[in-house]
């Protein structure tokens, strides 16, 4: 009597991919729950609640958890907004296989004015999924959960043990969670960073950025006394020469060009940027304003020196307030260093996985850099690894960091298939670097 033979992993692969498409609404429900947890930074108050949700969703998949809190003295800026603990959640499933880290930043930017929909509620319109963080980057977590559930349901053998890195403060701040994990020697294997695009892109690296919080102080008096000599110092009006000087420097900064390859269809090279990102001051029409806060953001190319770029701005600021009677404080409130070219031995197989998921051909892929920034420059600097694989849900039409941010079911399915293929034991097995070691 012939006994039925168990299915091979190759035979399971197809049904596992089909399960991703069939179960996509579970991923949509997951995304809805994630978006309802406000993890906007600043202020960064939602990290513990988000870690609770992730532990709930990942526990049925056999993961164990470690919460790693970045010490307050590394990230806290005196005088900043109220903030919560920087809780990073690491989810591991150790079966003795090689480890593949899967990285996500769980913070979002604050919701900008102009949303027609509730940014903290998932709005489903046809294939589109609207909500703060839908594309950047909670949708990538939903895609990963979809892939891992499919593997479990179908019994698909994996080559790698996934290590999920759910990290804090990528959108700003002084000490991103992934930086702390790298410097503490907690990271293992190699890492796929999902803070990228859904385009057929080979990442070349990116710019750095730093943010300076300026506090200009005058002296408050009754507004009716404002024209009396020595009665008060209007901090807002006193800051106008400084603002004008920053605006005069802006085109000079933008005239410099980077050697990083620009994205396809770009009109020119990637260039540094100087921006006045936030201004807050004054209390009432009846009072001479005593204080104004100005947030200055400077994106700098890998070829530039951070120290020189910062000194250029600080010199201009000091010159602008000299002799005015205004008080001045400057605080560094955020800094991401440039990421160098992250290509490495795992890329060819990740490219094959992206091609399977999104339907790309090898000739579709192009290599380019970005003026956007990443916290993985710190990972490289820590000595953990130069190689970083990049993927994600970003598209030009996704409105990332803008009102009506969204992704699509179609892209969540495509990314989930890419993740599952990359983790699977029998997908492009001859391209797995560990097999050749």
């Amino acid at each position: 009597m012939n006994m039925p033979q168990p299915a091979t992993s190759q035979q399971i692969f197809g049904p596992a991919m089909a399960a991703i498409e069939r179960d996509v609404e579970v991923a949509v429900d997951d995304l809805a729950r994630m978006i309802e947890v406000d993890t906007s930074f600043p202020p960064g108050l939602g990290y513990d609640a988000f870690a609770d949700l992730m532990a709930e969703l990942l526990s049925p998949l056999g993961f164990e958890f470690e919460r790693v809190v970045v010490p307050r003295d590394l990230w806290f800026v005196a005088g900043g907004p109220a903030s919560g603990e920087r809780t990073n959640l690491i989810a591991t499933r150790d079966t003795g296989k090689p480890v593949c880290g899967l990285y996500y930043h769980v913070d979002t930017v604050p919701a900008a004015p102009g949303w027609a929909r509730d940014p903290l509620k998932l709005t489903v319109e046809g294939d589109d999924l609207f909500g703060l963080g839908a594309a950047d980057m909670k949708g990538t977590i939903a895609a990963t959960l979809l892939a891992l559930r499919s593997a479990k349901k179908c019994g698909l053998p994996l080559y790698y043990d996934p290590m999920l890195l759910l990290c804090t403060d990528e959108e700003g701040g002084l000490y991103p969670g992934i930086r702390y994990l790298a410097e503490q020697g907690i990271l293992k294997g190699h890492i796929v960073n999902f803070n990228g695009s859904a385009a057929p892109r080979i990442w070349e690296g990116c710019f750095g950025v730093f943010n300076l919080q300026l506090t200009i102080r005058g002296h408050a008096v009754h507004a009716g006394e404002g024209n009396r000599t020595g009665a008060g110092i209007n901090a807002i009006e006193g800051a106008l020469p400084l603002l004008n000087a920053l605006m005069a420097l802006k085109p000079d900064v933008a005239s410099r060009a980077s050697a990083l390859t620009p994205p396809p269809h770009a009109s020119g090279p990637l260039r540094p940027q100087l921006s006045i990102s936030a201004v807050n001051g004054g209390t009432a029409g009846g009072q001479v304003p005593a204080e104004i806060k100005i947030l200055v953001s400077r994106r700098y190319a890998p070829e530039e020196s951070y120290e020189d770029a910062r000194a250029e701005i600080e010199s201009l600021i000091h010159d602008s307030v000299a002799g005015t009677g205004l008080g001045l404080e400057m605080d560094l409130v955020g800094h991401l260093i440039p990421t160098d070219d992250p290509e490495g031995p795992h890329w060819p197989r990740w490219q094959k996985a992206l091609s399977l998921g999104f339907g790309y051909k090898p000739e579709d892929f192009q290599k380019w850099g970005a003026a956007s920034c990443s916290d993985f420059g710190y990972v490289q600097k820590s000595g953990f690894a130069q190689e970083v694989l990049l993927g994600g849900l970003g598209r030009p039409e996704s409105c990332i960091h803008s009102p009506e941010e969204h992704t699509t079911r179609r892209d969540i399915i495509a990314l989930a298939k890419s993740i599952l293929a990359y983790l699977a034991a029998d997908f492009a097995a001859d391209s797995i670097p560990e097999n050749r070691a």
Side-chain angles (χ1 to χ4, degrees), residues 41-330:
F41 179 84
L45 295 172
Y47 292 136
D48 278 319
F50 197 83
D52 291 342
L53 174 60
M54 289 296 97
E56 176 190 336
L57 294 175
L58 286 163
S59 288
L61 294 170
F63 283 89
E64 296 182 354
F65 305 99
E66 180 183 3
R67 297 186 185 221
V68 179
V69 178
V70 180
R72 183 178 176 86
D73 62 324
L74 293 180
W75 59 264
F76 180 72
V77 179
S83 297
E85 283 198 318
R86 272 30 184 189
T87 301
N88 300 268
L89 185 69
I90 304 174
T92 55
R93 201 168 61 187
D94 185 2
T95 68
K97 299 172 183 174
V99 172
C100 177
L102 306 175
Y103 163 81
Y104 321 83
H105 69 78
V106 304
D107 56 324
T108 71
V109 294
W115 277 84
R117 304 164 179 86
D118 185 342
L120 295 178
K121 295 286 185 182
L122 183 70
T123 300
V124 180
E125 297 180 7
D127 192 47
D128 293 331
L129 309 170
F130 292 87
L132 185 63
D136 183 25
M137 57 183 298
K138 294 176 178 178
T140 69
I141 305 172
T144 303
L145 289 167
L146 183 58
L148 294 174
R149 288 196 187 109
S150 176
K152 180 180 179 182
K153 178 184 291 187
C154 298
L156 181 68
L158 303 183
Y159 184 87
Y160 294 109
D161 280 334
M163 179 182 190
L164 277 65
L165 306 163
L166 298 143
C167 294
T168 58
D169 286 18
E170 189 274 344
E171 297 293 4
L174 289 171
Y175 229 92
I178 192 68
R179 174 184 181 180
Y180 187 69
L181 299 184
E183 292 176 355
Q184 295 303 305
I186 294 172
L187 304 180
K188 297 179 181 179
H190 67 289
I191 296 181
V192 184
N193 177 353
F194 291 105
N195 196 22
S197 73
R201 174 190 182 187
I202 303 172
W203 195 27
E204 191 178 61
C206 62
F207 280 32
V209 63
F210 63 90
N211 298 313
L212 292 175
Q213 179 74 66
L214 314 181
T215 303
I216 311 296
R217 290 194 173 91
H219 179 64
V221 295
H222 190 293
E225 298 294 313
N227 59 359
R228 184 163 56 85
T229 301
I233 302 176
N234 189 312
I236 294 176
E237 293 176 0
L240 290 176
L242 165 60
L243 292 169
N244 288 331
L246 289 169
M247 290 303 295
L249 179 60
K250 185 181 179 79
D252 182 25
V253 170
S255 70
R256 307 162 195 174
S258 172
L260 272 180
T261 306
H265 313 301
S267 58
L270 294 171
R271 298 184 181 278
Q273 300 171 30
L274 172 65
S275 302
I276 300 171
S277 299
V279 177
N280 295 283
T283 56
Q287 183 185 64
V288 171
E291 183 178 280
I292 180 172
K293 288 184 176 290
I294 303 168
L295 184 64
V296 179
S297 180
R298 172 69 154 86
R299 293 181 181 269
Y300 64 101
E303 301 91 342
E304 294 185 281
S305 158
Y306 158 67
E307 291 79 11
D308 289 347
R310 180 172 174 178
E312 179 180 48
I313 294 173
E314 290 190 347
S315 175
L316 176 150
I317 292 167
H318 283 295
D319 289 347
S320 298
V321 300
T324 63
L326 295 167
L328 169 67
E329 291 181 11
M330 278 190 288

